[in-house]
Amino acid sequence: MKIACIGTGFVGVVTSAVFAKLGHQVVGLDIDEAKIKSLSQGKVPFFEPDLEEILQETLASNNLSFTTSYQEAISQAEVVFIMVGTPSAPDGQADLKYVFAAAKDLAPYLQEKAIVVIKSTVPPGTNQKVAQIIQKLTSVQFTTASVPEFLKEGSAVHDTLHPDRVLIGATDPYTIEVLTKLHQPLTNKILVMKPESAQMAKYSANTYLAQRITFINQIANLCEKNGADVQEVIQGIGHDKRIGLHYWYPGLGYGGSCFPKDVKEIAAYSKSVGETDSLFIKIDELNENRIPRLMEKYNQLVGGFTGKTVAVLGLSFKPNTNDIREAPALKVIPWLIDHGAQVRATDPQAIEVARSHLPSQVTYFNDPYETAKTSHVLFHLIEWSDYSHLDFKRLAQLMHQPAYFIDTRNQYDPQLVQQHGFTYQGVGR
Ligand code: UDX
């Protein structure tokens, strides 16, 4: 099949490479010339495990190419995916200007019977708007569909090759047949539904997961008041099959490019359709307030951060990515500096990206032990595997005494850490 992928951000590059690996002829399109040049040379402009290998393999097989020309990408394509960014508008709703611009630019080159698929996260009703834009600029017959993306950063290639399900939001039989055939090699869990349902399912999935994290963080707050251990509570409830043990580790709240934005979007969308009293507004509020609230608590624990040296392990928003969007470090580090601390920081992949977003006073090191040297407090912010077996004996020798270990991901046995003379502070335990 001949496929065009508009937008070479995270989802665009992964999707293009995976469809090319399945043997399709894929052209990736972006207006950013530097990105297209880099991708054409087999270089991914961000860190994502396994992506560069599959990109290079599919470029070499000539199944994949990149261009900045709409004409080149669209005029041959049977299926056109729109995967451009949808930044937040001032009212919190998704700003669809890039989606609409892509629709306008692709329209003149669309071939007869082409299928335009929206993969960007967009509110219900967007397909009709996109179809109207295209209709004005072409006389060919085309259809639109919604196939939302559920991949996670850090495991994006695996998630795309092995999705839990694929949603095909379409009503036209030919469109459903073509998109089903395209996705069949990836999974047999293909669910056909209305485009509006597919779009609502995407928002619902992300908001549900964000809500789940917010819920366990609320339970963690209570555990801190009464001596319970939230990790034991998770075991206690998770064996109930309706609840499950997965995907609710407590911490500093959810971050990344999707959850914070999608929760704000569904909250704003609810308001726009007259549902003013929504749970979504509260989830967003609780998550926004989480870090400031915990920082006050840590401030009391260590007797104030003024004059203290603090080591921070983990700058990305989660492990296996150098994406720092809504990363805890972006709130924690400025807070520490504002409260008089000196900050030393490290990350396996995100130092270069983080540097330009953090105060200039921060000093960076490549190694957790170098980072910890002379520190009074060590913040374990992100559960990179590089930090999963820290040598506490060595850390204790390098750090000022008394030393504090703040384990924001509950990665360590408190007793093990305390044995080495640290004051241990986890979340909800
Ligand atoms: C998420 C969705 O999982 C994915 O399906 C969607 O397509 C995009 O958004 P991603 O943002 O890459 O993916 O990361 P994810 O691993 O889901 O984590 C999101 C945030 O929640 C991170 O800040 C993570 O640390 C936090 N989180 C996750 C928790 O605090 N606790 C958890 O139990 C799980």
Side-chain angles (χ1 to χ4, degrees):
M1 214 173 279
K2 292 198 165 122
I3 298 173
C5 291
I6 307 179
T8 58
F10 208 84
V11 174
V13 179
V14 176
T15 307
S16 306
V18 165
F19 281 134
K21 191 176 167 65
L22 295 182
H24 300 290
Q25 281 296 315
V26 183
V27 183
L29 169 72
D30 205 293
I31 48 174
D32 183 333
E33 286 189 13
K35 252 194 203 168
I36 291 301
K37 192 167 169 219
S38 157
L39 288 165
S40 303
Q41 291 167 351
K43 290 201 193 84
V44 179
F46 47 84
F47 173 72
E48 176 62 34
D50 306 328
L51 185 54
E52 206 146 270
E53 289 81 343
I54 173 173
L55 176 74
Q56 288 172 1
E57 180 193 322
T58 49
L59 283 170
S61 69
N62 288 326
N63 282 352
L64 180 61
S65 62
F66 291 95
T67 181
T68 53
S69 155
Y70 268 87
Q71 181 167 16
E72 191 185 327
I74 308 298
S75 55
Q76 303 291 320
E78 299 158 75
V79 180
V80 179
F81 282 98
I82 299 183
M83 295 180 280
V84 295
T86 53
S88 292
D91 67 354
Q93 293 205 62
D95 181 345
L96 300 176
K97 66 179 172 212
Y98 299 121
V99 175
F100 295 151
K104 188 169 147 278
D105 292 343
L106 71 86
Y109 308 110
L110 216 50
Q111 64 159 268
E112 195 64 42
K113 282 179 90 176
I115 301 171
V116 178
V117 182
I118 302 181
K119 232 182 194 326
S120 305
T121 301
V122 295
T126 304
N127 285 31
Q128 288 94 313
K129 291 182 186 161
V130 164
Q132 279 163 12
I133 293 173
I134 300 174
Q135 254 151 18
K136 285 191 189 138
L137 299 164
T138 181
S139 54
V140 303
Q141 293 295 315
F142 69 94
T143 56
T144 60
S146 171
V147 179
E149 183 50 64
F150 294 99
L151 62 78
K152 300 182 290 302
E153 293 188 29
S155 56
V157 172
H158 178 270
D159 291 352
T160 308
L161 283 167
H162 309 282
D164 290 341
R165 78 305 205 182
V166 168
L167 309 188
I168 296 181
T171 47
D172 167 65
Y174 168 77
T175 306
I176 294 168
E177 188 192 319
V178 172
L179 294 179
T180 302
K181 208 166 138 203
L182 180 62
H183 290 92
Q184 243 157 8
L186 303 173
T187 177
N188 50 22
K189 247 309 170 265
I190 294 179
L191 309 174
V192 177
M193 57 184 69
K194 293 180 186 173
E196 293 80 3
S197 306
Q199 286 153 347
M200 271 311 287
K202 166 72 195 206
Y203 276 115
S204 309
N206 276 2
T207 312
Y208 172 75
L209 294 171
Q211 173 266 137
R212 200 170 152 98
I213 297 164
T214 307
F215 174 85
I216 205 66
N217 285 337
Q218 294 291 105
I219 297 292
N221 289 349
L222 300 185
C223 293
E224 287 178 10
K225 301 250 192 262
N226 59 29
D229 182 333
V230 71
Q231 299 304 138
E232 292 177 353
V233 175
I234 291 172
Q235 292 295 317
I237 56 179
H239 288 284
D240 183 326
K241 288 193 185 67
R242 293 167 302 175
I243 298 177
L245 284 162
H246 56 283
Y247 208 85
W248 44 5
Y249 59 82
L252 299 190
Y254 56 80
S257 62
C258 291
F259 288 174
K261 187 172 160 294
D262 289 356
V263 173
K264 283 184 207 307
E265 274 173 24
I266 199 165
Y269 172 75
S270 306
K271 264 194 206 157
S272 77
V273 294
E275 296 286 333
T276 47
D277 190 17
S278 83
L279 168 68
F280 317 125
I281 298 170
K282 194 68 200 170
I283 298 170
D284 179 46
E285 218 174 82
L286 289 168
N287 198 62
E288 284 290 335
N289 293 337
R290 180 134 184 93
I291 290 181
R293 178 195 157 119
L294 286 173
M295 293 309 288
E296 289 300 340
K297 183 186 160 93
Y298 302 147
N299 198 36
Q300 287 198 354
L301 174 80
V302 307
F305 281 104
T306 310
K308 299 239 160 61
T309 302
V310 180
V312 174
L313 309 188
L315 302 172
S316 54
F317 85 92
K318 68 174 202 177
N320 299 321
T321 177
N322 65 350
D323 193 340
I324 58 156
R325 285 176 283 180
E326 303 283 334
L330 298 191
K331 286 186 181 166
V332 169
I333 292 178
W335 194 101
L336 288 168
I337 289 175
D338 286 350
H339 288 75
Q342 285 202 325
V343 176
R344 300 162 68 88
T346 189
D347 187 281
Q349 291 290 340
I351 292 177
E352 282 324 305
V353 185
R355 205 185 278 274
S356 56
H357 291 82
L358 287 170
S360 57
Q361 299 96 312
V362 180
T363 42
Y364 298 92
F365 302 87
N366 288 325
D367 164 89
Y369 300 98
E370 274 300 310
T371 313
K373 248 186 207 167
T374 71
S375 298
H376 302 82
V377 184
L378 196 145
F379 270 85
H380 182 237
L381 280 193
I382 300 298
E383 66 280 25
W384 281 97
S385 61
D386 304 48
Y387 312 141
S388 61
H389 292 94
L390 290 172
D391 178 345
F392 283 95
K393 193 171 164 209
R394 190 168 161 205
L395 284 174
Q397 285 160 357
L398 294 168
M399 288 176 67
H400 260 288
Q401 297 303 325
Y404 295 85
F405 183 74
I406 301 185
D407 183 8
T408 68
R409 296 293 197 200
N410 288 352
Q411 294 290 294
Y412 284 94
D413 173 3
Q415 279 183 355
L416 171 105
V417 182
Q418 284 157 354
Q419 270 166 19
H420 293 92
F422 284 86
T423 299
Y424 175 91
Q425 176 68 60
V427 176
R429 58 200 325 208

